[in-house]
Amino acid sequence: MSADSRTAFTAVAHRMLGQVPELSRRIVGQIVAQEPMYQAIGAVPLEILAASVQENLRAILESLAGVERPQEEELAVARTTGRRRAQQGVPLEAVLRAYRLATELVLNSLLAEVKGRSHTELTEFLQVTTAVMNVMDRHSEAVVQGYRTTEAELQRRDAQRQQATFDALLEGRGGDPQLAAEALEILGLPATGPYAVAVATFDIAAHHTFSAARDACAAYSFPAAWRIRGDREIGLVALGHSSVPRLIRALNRNPAGRIGVSDPFDAMQELPEAHRSADVALQTVRHEGDEVAWIAERLPEALVISSPALAERLTRRALGAVLDLPDDEREVLLETLTIWYQSGRSAARAAGVLYCHRNTILNRLRRIEQLCGSSLEDHRFLLAGYLGLLTLDLLPSAPRTSGDNGPSAPGP
């Protein structure tokens, strides 16, 4: 664009600054006519839209008129518009369509101002289009920047609110019906149960951010809210018309790490206990591999996990004499007893698993009875022996020897 044309262009932009109220009214009319979000029942009241259009139009025309100011100052109005529309919940696409409508009107108004000029001047002056689009692009980018920044802030704030709400329920404040109802609304969960709690291990150092448990719930239409605490990911899952077994099947469809699941419950005041039981169920899962544990199917293991000191004491009392044996003999007897329990207390089936004769199993069992001073026909010793084996399996701190607790007493 020549110097003369540029001078003429800035002069036209200056004249249009005096037409800002009328141009703004026309732009508002077009936006309201074409964009539902800006209509009477939309997210942006008419008077706020009118004021915003006038501020943006003035900033754009001043830029076209050659008014020099730092870019941060020039684009402040556009960024503010983006922030406000994000706060009002207007989709970014609707905001940018409104800007395009304003661009068309500004271009048409500029061209109308130069109508009647010579062909040569008009051809050169049409380069105004490029100048206008450059300015409008800058302002549109500023709108997007302001919108995205605010959108991210709102998402963080919403996430923080959800986490605080979840924490309040975990801390036992769900006994207040009003608080519970508001909490469920904030968490995006149904107002009525049943619900269940799922607790999964969470590796904060892992290089991925996806959660198999979350993905499984979403994939199989289980609405859920999630909270990370330390190395645990806690999910409050709405069961709807489904059941805990179906939830477990969904969690088992894909490798999902170690997960514990509570029994179903209906009231938010039950959430703390459901969380504790799901976490106990998780602890009954061995550290290797992927497994989902439902507390209803892990009650003996849960007893051990819930009272580790008592469990270790019971183990020493019931199996202490076996634990005192040399390593090789001790491990053979403990393995035999474990397989015997797992085989329904059948010596023949246990022998098949261990590839030995049935009499070998019986001899080893008698050796255990002699050492412990109790019979495996005694239901108390039978139960104590089983819980002792669970303790050795589940508690890393459980002693493999009886320690300094005195001689093992007969029976539990």
Side-chain angles (χ1 to χ4, degrees), residues 137-170:
D137 284 348
R138 280 205 312 275
H139 282 249
S140 295
E141 289 170 4
V143 167
V144 172
Q145 184 183 38
Y147 190 101
R148 292 301 190 200
T149 300
T150 303
E151 185 179 47
E153 291 173 357
L154 292 172
Q155 289 174 347
R156 285 195 297 271
R157 193 178 308 163
D158 188 52
Q160 290 169 350
R161 185 186 183 200
Q162 289 185 349
Q163 291 176 357
T165 299
F166 206 150
D167 286 343
L169 294 177
L170 289 171

Side-chain angles (χ1 to χ4, degrees), residues 206-273:
H207 296 295
H208 58 74
T209 57
F210 70 87
S211 163
R214 293 191 193 205
D215 290 348
C217 286
Y220 291 92
S221 301
F222 285 101
W226 298 88
R227 178 74 168 103
I228 294 174
R229 279 186 167 184
D231 64 347
R232 296 285 196 266
E233 186 171 36
I234 308 163
L236 173 56
V237 184
L239 296 175
H241 297 294
S242 193
S243 62
V244 172
R246 182 178 178 273
L247 171 63
I248 291 173
R249 286 196 297 273
L251 293 171
N252 270 321
R253 291 290 170 85
N254 297 306
R258 296 161 53 230
I259 302 176
V261 180
S262 75
D263 281 327
F265 61 96
D266 291 305
M268 284 300 103
Q269 65 191 36
E270 301 174 75
L271 176 60
E273 179 57 33

Side-chain angles (χ1 to χ4, degrees), residues 88-405:
Q88 292 162 333
V90 180
L92 181 57
E93 293 78 5
V95 180
L96 294 179
R97 282 196 296 269
Y99 258 76
R100 284 197 291 273
L101 290 171
T103 300
E104 292 174 8
L105 192 143
V106 169
L107 272 173
N108 290 336
S109 299
L110 282 168
L111 292 175
E113 288 288 327
V114 300
K115 188 176 181 181
R117 288 176 175 269
S118 70
H119 177 75
T120 302
E121 289 182 0
L122 182 57
T123 299
E124 188 174 344
F125 204 79
L126 286 178
Q127 296 177 32
V128 163
T129 302
T130 301
V132 171
M133 295 307 298
N134 286 340
V135 170
M136 297 303 290
D137 284 348
R138 280 205 312 275
H139 282 249
S140 295
E141 289 170 4
V143 167
V144 172
Q145 184 183 38
Y147 190 101
R148 292 301 190 200
T149 300
T150 303
E151 185 179 47
E153 291 173 357
L154 292 172
Q155 289 174 347
R156 285 195 297 271
R157 193 178 308 163
D158 188 52
Q160 290 169 350
R161 185 186 183 200
Q162 289 185 349
Q163 291 176 357
T165 299
F166 206 150
D167 286 343
L169 294 177
L170 289 171
E171 290 160 7
R173 294 168 58 190
D176 180 342
Q178 183 176 352
L179 185 148
E182 292 175 355
L184 289 168
E185 183 178 357
I186 290 170
L187 295 174
L189 295 175
T192 57
Y195 312 94
V197 173
V199 178
T201 53
F202 180 79
D203 184 1
I204 198 169
H207 296 295
H208 58 74
T209 57
F210 70 87
S211 163
R214 293 191 193 205
D215 290 348
C217 286
Y220 291 92
S221 301
F222 285 101
W226 298 88
R227 178 74 168 103
I228 294 174
R229 279 186 167 184
D231 64 347
R232 296 285 196 266
E233 186 171 36
I234 308 163
L236 173 56
V237 184
L239 296 175
H241 297 294
S242 193
S243 62
V244 172
R246 182 178 178 273
L247 171 63
I248 291 173
R249 286 196 297 273
L251 293 171
N252 270 321
R253 291 290 170 85
N254 297 306
R258 296 161 53 230
I259 302 176
V261 180
S262 75
D263 281 327
F265 61 96
D266 291 305
M268 284 300 103
Q269 65 191 36
E270 301 174 75
L271 176 60
E273 179 57 33
H275 169 227
R276 282 190 288 272
S277 68
D279 192 71
V280 169
L282 169 64
Q283 294 177 63
T284 69
V285 178
R286 293 172 181 82
H287 286 269
E288 311 84 32
D290 302 317
E291 189 177 355
V292 182
W294 181 15
I295 188 64
E297 298 176 336
R298 299 294 179 94
L299 294 178
E301 292 87 347
L303 284 173
V304 170
I305 295 295
S306 300
S307 301
L310 281 176
E312 290 178 13
R313 182 178 175 187
L314 179 147
T315 302
R316 286 192 296 265
R317 184 172 177 83
L319 300 175
V322 176
L323 299 178
D324 280 338
L325 294 171
D327 291 351
D328 290 346
E329 186 178 2
R330 179 184 68 235
E331 295 307 319
V332 166
L333 292 182
L334 289 176
E335 181 186 32
T336 299
L337 186 60
T338 299
I339 299 300
W340 180 72
Y341 276 112
Q342 293 174 352
S343 301
R345 305 196 306 278
S346 166
R349 285 198 290 271
V353 174
L354 293 174
Y355 301 102
C356 61
H357 195 277
R358 174 178 177 274
N359 288 340
T360 302
I361 300 296
L362 293 174
N363 289 335
R364 292 174 183 174
L365 294 177
R366 280 196 291 271
R367 171 74 169 142
I368 292 171
E369 290 175 329
Q370 291 168 359
L371 287 167
C372 298
S374 291
S375 169
L376 286 168
E377 297 296 324
D378 180 344
H379 68 279
R380 289 177 60 82
F381 180 64
L382 190 68
L383 174 61
Y386 181 72
L387 291 176
L389 292 173
L390 286 181
T391 301
L392 294 172
D393 186 45
L394 292 173
L395 300 182
S397 61
R400 303 296 290 189
T401 61
S402 66
D404 297 323
N405 294 281

